[in-house]
Amino acid sequence: NAGVMQNPRHLVRRRGQEARLRCSPMKGHSHVYWYRQLPEEGLKFMVYLQKENIIDESGMPKERFSAEFPKEGPSILRIQQVVRGDSAAYFCASSPPSRVRGSGTEAFFGQGTRLTVV
Amino acid sequence: ILNVEQSPQSLHVQEGDSTNFTCSFPSSNFYALHWYRWETAKSPEALFVMTLNGDEKKKGRISATLNTKEGYSYLYIKGSQPEDSATYLCAFLYNFNKFYFGSGTKLNVKP
């Protein structure tokens, strides 16, 4: 059972270009989370998705950022017109569905995509 | 936005020292508290999943306790080794599947 796969591992974009980050969750996992780690900071929640649905995007910047998790294929985090401040490590995590309180759903992380905007 | 706080931010100890750090989280709507170990250039790796007040979990020299009523969890490392050097993250599981992470405690164990 492969782990959470993120690609690319490293991405360099010029200011104004688009960045597309991909995340393939673990088999059987229908929940995907995206987190951002800015330099010298901890993990910050961005968005929580289930298949074809955005459940919570309260951590997403209002402009230029979007995320999707289609019925088929990986989850995509898309950043349009990138700026230098978007340079960060973007981590994806997945978890199986949990409907029992206190069942301790565990999230598994990918190795991240390091975005550098030049 | 829920606040999950970890302290201290960083910790330097000598090999063989025992150490502990704290994760504070909201005491309402608690589902679970997760501890992760995050080594540089790798992805966070799950250590413990804690769900019940009074939970104590142990894995080798690392253990954790949970107090959901007052909203804190402690992580203990007994007899620290250089390979324990990492950032230790806690995550508060809110509303089924939304994780809120603390900023981590960065542990450096000197040989």
Side-chain angles (χ1 to χ4, degrees):
Chain A
N1 187 6
V4 178
M5 305 298 292
Q6 287 189 249
N7 67 81
R9 291 289 306 278
H10 300 274
L11 183 61
V12 179
R13 284 287 177 265
R14 295 187 185 281
R15 279 180 294 173
Q17 290 185 319
E18 179 180 286
R20 291 171 72 90
L21 288 63
R22 293 176 189 76
C23 169
S24 297
M26 286 182 71
K27 190 176 179 181
H29 287 192
S30 56
H31 298 234
V32 165
Y33 320 82
W34 284 94
Y35 292 86
R36 177 165 65 172
Q37 185 196 26
L38 292 167
E40 306 303 319
E41 294 187 19
L43 282 174
K44 301 291 184 190
F45 168 79
M46 296 183 75
V47 62
Y48 160 39
L49 309 109
Q50 293 178 18
K51 285 281 187 183
E52 300 183 281
N53 282 309
I54 296 175
I55 306 302
D56 185 341
E57 56 182 347
S58 56
M60 288 273 272
K62 292 282 186 278
E63 295 175 353
R64 303 187 297 107
F65 284 71
S66 62
E68 62 176 11
F69 188 17
K71 190 176 178 182
E72 303 289 337
S75 175
I76 306 285
L77 179 68
R78 185 176 172 216
I79 312 172
Q80 294 178 289
Q81 299 173 337
V82 296
V83 300
R84 287 233 170 95
D86 297 333
S87 296
Y90 292 82
F91 287 89
C92 164
S94 73
S95 68
S98 170
R99 290 177 178 80
V100 178
R101 186 188 180 103
S103 69
T105 301
E106 188 174 333
F108 293 84
F109 281 82
Q111 291 196 297
T113 293
R114 190 162 298 279
L115 172 66
T116 303
V117 180
V118 297
Chain B
I1 297 176
L2 299 179
N3 216 18
V4 178
E5 293 186 355
Q6 291 189 246
S7 62
Q9 271 193 318
S10 64
L11 200 51
H12 297 263
V13 301
Q14 288 293 137
E15 182 176 352
D17 287 351
S18 292
T19 186
N20 66 85
F21 18 95
T22 308
C23 172
S24 303
F25 52 86
S27 53
S28 59
N29 289 312
F30 176 88
Y31 277 78
L33 193 284
H34 295 229
W35 280 100
Y36 289 86
R37 182 171 181 274
W38 192 6
E39 288 182 75
T40 304
K42 296 185 178 179
S43 53
E45 175 193 342
L47 276 176
F48 302 116
V49 178
M50 311 185 77
T51 57
L52 299 173
N53 186 42
D55 252 358
E56 288 189 32
K57 297 278 176 91
K58 189 174 180 183
K59 188 184 284 188
R61 293 177 292 97
I62 305 176
S63 60
T65 60
L66 179 67
N67 183 326
T68 59
K69 293 190 188 313
E70 294 181 39
Y72 65 83
S73 175
Y74 293 137
L75 189 80
Y76 301 90
I77 303 179
K78 187 178 176 183
S80 304
Q81 300 296 309
E83 58 264 30
D84 296 329
S85 297
T87 295
Y88 292 84
L89 288 174
C90 71
F92 171 70
L93 180 60
Y94 173 81
N95 199 24
F96 279 149
N97 278 302
K98 185 172 175 183
F99 287 91
Y100 285 94
F101 280 83
S103 296
T105 293
K106 190 169 182 179
L107 175 66
N108 182 30
V109 183
K110 296 177 187 174

